[in-house]
């Protein structure tokens, strides 16, 4: 092998490894435990999520272990979405200023419908089914 070919091989291999590490980190949001089942979407289903009082009006809460985010855009109107960002599979980290925010690449989703407020994500967060019974929120 010539020196130029070896140098190119090292550069290409190094670049591939550098790109693979962050992508793998975005997809490594597995968490176990609990008495829930995992659906084909990767979102755990079944059981209580919390109390309605845990979800601020105009805001929301991320349940990382259940891979779901619950919001309350208007008083008494509760919504649930997958907590897995549609850009590259990172778990969203917070709900603030009317959006559900992903820490990996800055995507933000609207709390009312999960639609994209700011990219790089281009697809909305998928809705999840919840049931409010009294003051309890259950993932169905």
């Amino acid at each position: 092998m010539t020196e130029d070919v070896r140098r190119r091989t090292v550069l290409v291999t190094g670049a591939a490894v550098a790109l693979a590490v962050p992508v793998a980190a975005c997809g490594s949001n597995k968490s176990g435990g609990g008495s829930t089942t995992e659906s084909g979407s990767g979102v755990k289903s079944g059981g209580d999520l919390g109390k309605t009082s845990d979800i601020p009006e105009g805001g929301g809460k991320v349940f990382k272990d259940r891979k779901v985010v619950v919001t309350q855009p208007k008083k008494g109107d509760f919504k649930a979405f997958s907590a897995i960002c549609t850009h590259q599979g990172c778990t969203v980290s917070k709900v603030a200023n009317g959006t559900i925010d992903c820490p990996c690449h800055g995507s933000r989703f609207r709390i009312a419908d999960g639609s994209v407020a700011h990219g790089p994500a281009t697809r909305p967060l998928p809705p999840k089914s919840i049931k409010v019974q009294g003051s309890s929120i259950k993932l169905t």
Side-chain angles (χ1 to χ4, degrees), residues 57-101:
E57 184 180 344
K61 182 175 178 179
V62 178
F63 296 89
K64 287 186 182 186
D65 62 326
R66 305 295 292 281
K67 299 181 184 176
V68 68
V69 58
V70 177
T71 65
Q72 186 181 188
K74 297 182 290 185
K75 185 175 177 84
D77 182 25
F78 296 92
K79 308 280 185 174
F81 307 97
S82 169
I84 306 303
C85 180
T86 57
H87 176 238
Q88 286 190 346
C90 294
T91 301
V92 298
S93 62
K94 67 179 180 176
V95 180
N97 302 314
T99 61
I100 302 162
D101 303 342

Side-chain angles (χ1 to χ4, degrees), residues 16-75:
V17 169
L19 289 172
V21 171
V23 170
C26 281
S28 63
N29 290 308
K30 303 285 184 209
S31 63
S35 61
T36 60
T37 58
E38 195 159 320
S39 68
S41 65
V43 176
K44 294 179 179 182
S45 61
D48 286 334
L49 282 174
K51 302 278 183 209
T52 55
S53 59
D54 296 337
I55 314 301
E57 184 180 344
K61 182 175 178 179
V62 178
F63 296 89
K64 287 186 182 186
D65 62 326
R66 305 295 292 281
K67 299 181 184 176
V68 68
V69 58
V70 177
T71 65
Q72 186 181 188
K74 297 182 290 185
K75 185 175 177 84

